[in-house]
Amino acid sequence: MALGPGDRAPDFSLPPAPGPEKISLSQHRGEHNVVLLFLPLAYSSVCTDEVCRVAEDLGAWSDLDAVVLGLSVDSPFVTARFAEDTGAGFPILSDFNKEAMTAYGVVYDDFFGLKGVAKRSAFVVDKAGVIRYAWVTDDSAELPDLAAIRTALEGLD
């Protein structure tokens, strides 16, 4: 079952690219609110559309004191290239071992024959590490409501 508003956001430490660098949720604690976007598979048309829509107005997320992190089951080689090719402007982290998606309860048991792919989902985590907004869909073609995410952020310090 997916986590929801009021739940403590599980920490993770995941690579945005091949190599030792990792980005963790906890590194933003006390500093920024965080928008987590779980993406089923890089380079799918819907994931590409979602990343491009967020990237189009990245400044608006910063104005709301929010950091955006994408998470995908793809390898760090793929997530780094996907972020570059889409001009994301925010990290897309490799959750190759399915740790974050499992902790947040957003794993498809079967996604067109693939096991362990993230459900398209979005979470807003406040500076204290508490989930303030959660959206999860079983319809991988459905995009998150970015206006609703912004509204959730507007109510946070």
Side-chain angles (χ1 to χ4, degrees):
M1 183 169 169
L3 298 177
D7 289 332
R8 172 127 334 259
D11 194 19
F12 53 78
S13 184
L14 301 171
E21 179 192 2
K22 292 190 177 183
I23 294 174
S24 66
L25 178 61
S26 60
Q27 77 186 60
H28 299 289
R29 194 157 293 139
E31 299 288 324
H32 302 284
N33 301 305
V34 180
V35 176
L36 301 176
L37 300 173
F38 285 89
L39 308 165
L41 293 170
Y43 289 103
S44 68
S45 61
V46 181
C47 290
T48 300
D49 187 28
E50 180 178 351
V51 168
C52 289
R53 286 181 188 213
V54 172
E56 282 174 2
D57 200 13
L58 202 53
W61 301 102
S62 295
D63 291 346
L64 292 167
D65 198 17
V67 171
V68 177
L69 300 175
L71 296 92
S72 173
V73 71
D74 295 286
S75 79
F77 298 95
V78 173
T79 59
R81 184 64 183 257
F82 182 57
E84 180 182 326
D85 288 350
T86 58
F90 59 90
I92 300 176
L93 308 177
S94 172
D95 191 15
F96 190 79
N97 293 322
K98 304 165 183 70
E99 295 165 10
M101 68 180 77
T102 300
Y104 282 78
V106 296
V107 181
Y108 277 114
D109 291 328
D110 185 345
F111 184 72
F112 302 105
L114 302 175
K115 308 290 185 216
V117 174
K119 293 180 180 182
R120 188 171 316 284
S121 47
F123 295 88
V124 171
V125 180
D126 69 15
K127 293 175 186 176
V130 176
I131 296 171
R132 297 297 176 193
Y133 174 88
W135 174 85
V136 181
T137 183
D138 286 322
D139 180 358
S140 64
E142 186 179 359
L143 289 172
D145 183 342
L146 299 180
I149 295 170
R150 285 191 186 103
T151 298
L153 286 164
E154 288 170 355
L156 302 176
D157 290 332

